[in-house]
Structures are given as structure tokens and as C-alpha cells.
Amino acid sequence: MKKTLATALVLALAAGLGGCSVLQPPQPWEKGLLAKPEMTLGGDALEGRFDVHILNSKEAASGGSGVGGGGCGCN
């Protein structure tokens, strides 16, 4: 019973890894999808600037993005 379960598990794992794209690089026709701006890690730069602008407008303050300090002027 345990041997057949282990064999079935190994076969299922091997079948699942057979289609894994980690083992092979993307094909040329797949690279077009990966080059889209939505696929970047940082996201859209213009959208990020808008997000910072909206946050500064809501908080009634500007600056302070990525800088240490509590906002009281003392670092």
C-alpha cells in the first residue's frame, strides 16, 4: 500500500515538473508578453509618481518619501 502510494506520488510529481518553465528559457514568441510594462517588478514609473502626488495631497505635506525622520525636522 505504501509503495504504490509513493510510486503514484513520484509519478505525479514527475508529470507536474515536466511542464515547468523554470527548466527551459522562454521561447521567442513568449518574450513579447514578458516585455510588457505590467510585467516589470517596479511597475509603471509615471503611475508611481501619481501615487506619491496623491499621497502628498491627502497628507497635506510633500517630500519625505524614502527619507528617514519623523516629520518634526529632527533627523
Side-chain angles (χ1 to χ4, degrees):
M1 178 70 179
K2 286 185 182 182
K3 190 171 187 176
T4 55
L5 181 61
T7 305
L9 182 63
V10 169
L11 288 175
L13 185 63
L17 290 177
C20 189
S21 63
V22 175
L23 303 175
Q24 54 183 327
Q27 299 298 322
W29 58 86
E30 296 172 329
K31 291 181 181 180
L33 296 173
L34 297 173
K36 289 186 176 182
E38 303 91 44
M39 298 297 285
T40 59
L41 293 176
D44 188 19
L46 186 60
E47 187 176 340
R49 289 178 52 199
F50 283 137
D51 287 342
V52 169
H53 175 72
I54 292 170
L55 176 68
N56 291 336
S57 298
K58 287 182 177 181
E59 294 290 328
S62 66
S65 298
V67 179
C72 63
C74 56
N75 290 327

